[in-house]
Amino acid sequence: MTRPTFSLRCSVLVVLLLGAFPLFAKDAPLQTIDWPSTGTPVVRLTFGKFKSLPGMSNLHGYVMDTTTQNLSPRRIPSARFNVYLFDKNKVRVGQDVIAIQNVGPGEVVRFETTVATSGQPVSVSIEEITAAEKTVSITVNTTPQGANLTVDGTPVGATPRMITVGPGHHLLAFAKEGFTAGTFPLDISANDLSGGSVSYELGAPSFDTIELRDGTVLYGDLVSISGMDAEIRVGGAIQHIDRNKIKRVLFVHRDAPTPDVPPASAPANN
């Protein structure tokens, strides 16, 4: 009579163990990578499974738990890695950068990595960023927006704009029709990380701003306005615009011209 009872208990134990395997598999990491891939590894990076984020329009947003461990007997002051994401066809669909700083021997650091991709990622690879290859991505914006941005003499488009620069001194130049042009010095250190931003307020408008009802904006000097006509000097040429087409006019501050007054002379001695 004891043998059937023993078999029943064994069966229950086997069922419980089999039922536990999916739980363990669910917590299994997506991928573990030791760096460098040859020789004695220094850093172990463990990437969790991708968790989808909603509301990314044409892109796909994911967050994954990331763990780094210092396998060496020495402290790691700083290390940066490119993270490449691949779909099931080994096509790269995304890229991001992760960085670790001041990690002691054997120390484990856990954080979340958020990435935007153009497809469904299923695997990861990494590549160390050396000091010579390091770049930082920064968002540059202006008030008002739409200024032409130049980085170190190279035009890169209108603001807001994300730029990528390396360590060192850089010069940002801004120009927008109707506003005073300006520059902004940007210094990037070897320890700076991507994700920062620069906001620049353009100088005071140098011309009157005439906004038309169709959305067109003119920058010039409002010479005169009558009941049905506005006279505007744009680029040195006079334009006549129907008053009803004008939505609003913003005037720049102008000092009144100083009258030509002859210098005072001392009274003549009689």
Side-chain angles (χ1 to χ4, degrees), residues 1-15:
M1 296 298 294
T2 59
R3 187 168 300 172
T5 303
F6 178 78
S7 300
L8 179 61
R9 290 177 178 174
C10 289
S11 299
V12 172
L13 180 60
V14 170
V15 171

Side-chain angles (χ1 to χ4, degrees), residues 90-101:
K90 304 299 181 182
V91 176
R92 188 194 297 183
V93 294
Q95 178 179 344
D96 200 65
V97 176
I98 62 174
I100 56 175
Q101 291 182 320

Side-chain angles (χ1 to χ4, degrees), residues 99-239:
I100 56 175
Q101 291 182 320
N102 195 28
V103 182
E107 185 176 354
V108 176
V109 180
R110 292 185 175 90
F111 52 91
E112 287 187 338
T113 302
T114 303
V115 295
T117 71
S118 59
Q120 171 67 53
V122 298
S123 62
V124 178
S125 71
I126 66 168
E127 178 184 53
E128 184 195 19
I129 302 176
T130 63
E133 298 171 338
K134 177 184 174 181
T135 58
V136 174
S137 296
I138 297 177
T139 300
V140 180
N141 204 354
T142 56
T143 304
Q145 295 180 338
N148 293 321
L149 171 62
T150 301
V151 180
D152 297 332
T154 302
V156 296
T159 59
R161 173 72 55 176
M162 178 176 287
I163 63 173
T164 301
V165 291
H169 179 77
H170 304 275
L171 185 65
L172 310 182
F174 304 91
K176 183 177 175 66
E177 184 182 5
F179 291 83
T180 304
T183 59
F184 181 84
L186 177 65
D187 292 301
I188 301 296
S189 72
N191 295 323
D192 285 336
L193 302 177
S194 296
S197 63
V198 170
S199 182
Y200 182 84
E201 185 172 353
L202 297 174
S206 54
F207 298 100
D208 298 328
T209 303
I210 298 91
E211 182 180 351
L212 305 183
R213 296 188 185 279
D214 63 1
T216 304
V217 178
L218 301 176
Y219 299 98
D221 296 317
L222 182 63
V223 179
S224 65
I225 187 168
S226 63
M228 297 302 296
D229 180 76
E231 188 178 13
I232 304 169
R233 182 184 294 110
V234 180
I238 296 294
Q239 296 186 19

